[in-house]
Amino acid sequence: MMLFSGGTVVTMDPAIGDLERGDVLVREDRIVAVGPDLRSHPEAAGTTVIDTTGRIVSPGFVDTHRHAWQAQLRRSIPDVTDLGAYVMSTLAGIAPAYTPHDMYVGTRLAALTALDAGITTMLDFSHNSRTAAHSDAAIQALVDTGIRGVHASMGPHFGEWDRQWPGDLARLCGAYQGTNGGLVTLRLAALATDEIAGPALAYGPELAAVARDLDLGVSVDAVFGMPSSAAILRWAADGLLGPNLTLIHATGLTSQAWQAMGDAGVTVSLAPTSEAQIGLETAVPAIDEALAVGIRPGLSIDVEVALASDMFTQMRTLHAIQRMRAVNAAYGTDTTPDRITSRDVLDFATAQGARTNGLGDVTGSLTPGKQADLLVVAADDINTMPLNDAVGTLVLGADARNIETVVVAGQVRKRNGQLVGADMDELRRQVTESRDAIRKAVVKEEQRWTGG
């Protein structure tokens, strides 16, 4: 039992609201109560009291889409010019060199980085499943870090692989669905169309049937432009759109596609820095389009080979871009700009992210009965003091250094600003050795093809 007492509590539960000074009572893996003073609560006897005075207690962030296996190559292409350059350098060039051990190291690094930055739930869009062992290694990394991990499995785009996907999903579900105390869940991952990697990886009736038979949600990446718009309308006609389907990016889609998405209640994952920095289709995060049809999206990191690793960056990027566009569109007219707020983006990064990952009843808000996934954020550090608006501080002021405590399912994963149980020296050794081995294998393969 833990009682987080005396801090400013941002619940992201509209029925509870925020507490300028409040308590959060945790028993085992669940939130028992949220209120102004819970020391006399019937279940508070014998609890460990954590003084959160001068701090903000909030839900953990939820990442709805990250290619975690790439983490040991993070920022290797910081100025990548477009999607094609990313595909050829990373998916065609680097991915085939990964061993199962490399999958483990990259995924573990990404998950630990997520926890350090307050992301308590991460969907790993694991699209380098070359063998069953590659998938097992990626999932084991989620288990070993203690993050609430969603393993979304997909076969690789290029290179040799066992063609065990999607058939291996049945084994994965039997072995891992709900393991690690329910922290690990699975989804099917796919692409929107066959443009990049051929029809085998493209979502449609066959993959939808696999997901339905295994009772899995589906996450669809590379949802861009006219080809994806046409695909969405086909899916609508075939009855393949629904709340269990997440469409990722969703840039440059037609109004007809968006209406079909809104009508079906699909979820959407935006990757604000990916859209803008890499230049995916229109290069503008599709927040206005989503809200116009009643979809409140989740947020995601995407590819660490070119982008930032944390949710603070995603929230600020989306907040700035949407408000810039709103004011720009109204400039010189009598129209009032329709701007999103800091609370909106925090909602996207927590409650809506959980819903997008199919975990809306499990996490995403400080609601009694939900899992105890929460953060304690210092509000009296040099970059957060003085505390005037808790939501504004979380979205626009704080960063990973201010996160003192991270709790996942009642287990402390970061304490006093340090990850719990992570041997950083050993992690550095493994990450560096894995990166160097991958690079060496890539060079060797290039020499084989060129005769060098």
Side-chain angles (χ1 to χ4, degrees):
M1 294 279 288
M2 292 183 288
L3 179 65
F4 297 88
S5 181
T8 298
V9 181
V10 176
T11 69
M12 299 314 293
D13 183 329
I16 301 174
D18 300 342
L19 302 174
E20 185 174 349
R21 182 178 176 85
D23 294 357
V24 178
L25 180 60
V26 172
R27 182 175 185 178
E28 296 180 348
D29 61 348
R30 296 191 178 274
I31 298 169
V32 173
V34 178
D37 185 357
L38 300 178
R39 289 176 185 261
S40 61
H41 189 279
E43 296 192 48
T47 60
T48 299
V49 178
I50 296 97
D51 184 6
T52 54
T53 303
R55 283 136 183 82
I56 302 168
V57 183
S58 78
F61 301 127
V62 179
D63 183 356
T64 57
H65 151 241
R66 183 191 309 226
H67 303 296
W69 58 270
Q70 302 173 4
Q72 62 268 71
L73 274 300
R74 55 173 48 148
R75 265 74 74 183
S76 57
I77 49 172
D79 299 309
V80 62
T81 53
D82 57 23
L83 178 63
Y86 159 73
V87 168
M88 295 312 296
S89 66
T90 303
L91 302 184
I94 294 171
Y98 267 67
T99 66
H101 176 68
D102 297 322
M103 291 290 290
Y104 177 86
V105 171
T107 303
R108 182 167 180 261
L109 176 60
L112 287 173
T113 302
L115 288 169
D116 183 61
I119 294 171
T120 53
T121 301
M122 181 183 75
L123 184 142
D124 174 21
F125 195 111
S126 192
H127 58 357
N128 199 17
S129 299
R130 298 187 175 273
T131 68
H134 283 69
S135 297
D136 290 339
I139 296 173
Q140 190 61 49
L142 300 178
V143 171
D144 290 350
T145 60
I147 198 167
R148 191 174 299 280
V150 184
H151 176 81
S153 177
M154 192 182 90
H157 293 65
F158 304 105
E160 296 180 359
W161 60 293
D162 283 358
R163 305 286 167 176
Q164 83 290 348
W165 181 92
D168 192 44
L169 275 168
R171 181 190 67 85
L172 292 176
C173 287
Y176 298 109
Q177 185 73 283
T179 58
N180 203 25
L183 288 179
V184 173
T185 54
L186 274 71
R187 288 173 72 91
L188 183 148
L191 301 179
T193 64
D194 61 5
E195 293 173 281
I196 298 176
L201 303 180
Y203 181 65
E206 291 184 5
L207 290 181
V210 172
R212 184 172 58 251
D213 291 345
L214 296 174
D215 194 24
L216 293 178
V218 180
S219 294
V220 179
D221 204 352
V223 182
F224 309 126
M226 293 303 295
S228 291
S229 296
I232 289 167
L233 295 179
R234 289 196 303 272
W235 302 337
D238 292 339
L240 303 183
L241 296 181
N244 67 328
L245 180 68
T246 298
L247 303 184
I248 301 168
H249 299 298
T251 49
L253 301 181
T254 64
S255 58
Q256 293 87 352
W258 274 109
Q259 193 58 58
M261 292 158 60
D263 290 345
V266 303
T267 57
V268 168
S269 169
L270 302 182
T273 58
S274 183
E275 267 85 88
Q277 185 174 330
I278 299 177
L280 302 181
E281 198 69 24
T282 63
V284 178
I287 179 60
D288 293 312
E289 293 85 346
L291 294 177
V293 296
I295 298 174
R296 293 185 67 81
L299 303 184
S300 67
I301 306 303
D302 199 1
V303 294
E304 292 188 71
V305 290
L307 305 169
S309 306
D310 65 288
M311 192 59 70
F312 297 106
T313 301
Q314 311 310 317
M315 290 192 291
R316 289 168 189 163
T317 298
L318 185 64
H319 189 257
I321 288 177
Q322 193 280 336
R323 291 170 70 89
M324 175 190 71
R325 291 185 73 206
V327 173
N328 179 261
Y331 182 73
T333 73
D334 295 329
T335 304
T336 300
D338 187 9
R339 289 177 279 199
I340 61 174
T341 66
S342 55
R343 187 173 293 275
D344 282 323
V345 293
L346 186 58
D347 179 48
F348 302 153
T350 55
Q352 301 307 323
R355 184 178 61 84
T356 299
N357 281 350
L359 298 172
D361 294 334
V362 175
T363 189
S365 66
L366 301 184
T367 301
K370 283 191 176 182
Q371 290 276 290
D373 298 350
L374 59 85
L375 313 178
V376 178
V377 181
D380 56 2
D381 285 346
I382 188 66
N383 60 314
T384 55
M385 72 166 80
L387 179 58
N388 295 311
D389 182 292
V391 172
T393 297
L394 287 171
V395 173
L396 300 176
D399 54 45
R401 66 184 145 158
N402 308 118
I403 300 175
E404 295 182 344
T405 304
V406 175
V407 178
V408 181
Q411 297 295 311
V412 177
R413 298 300 176 186
K414 185 177 183 180
R415 178 185 287 114
N416 297 327
Q418 300 295 320
L419 289 170
V420 175
D423 184 336
M424 296 305 298
D425 289 336
E426 177 62 15
L427 180 64
R428 290 186 188 97
R429 184 191 68 78
Q430 290 186 4
V431 168
T432 302
E433 287 184 357
S434 173
R435 179 203 61 189
D436 293 348
I438 293 165
R439 286 178 169 174
K440 184 177 180 180
V442 170
V443 170
K444 184 177 180 179
E445 183 67 9
E446 289 174 347
Q447 291 174 340
R448 186 174 75 87
W449 281 102
T450 61

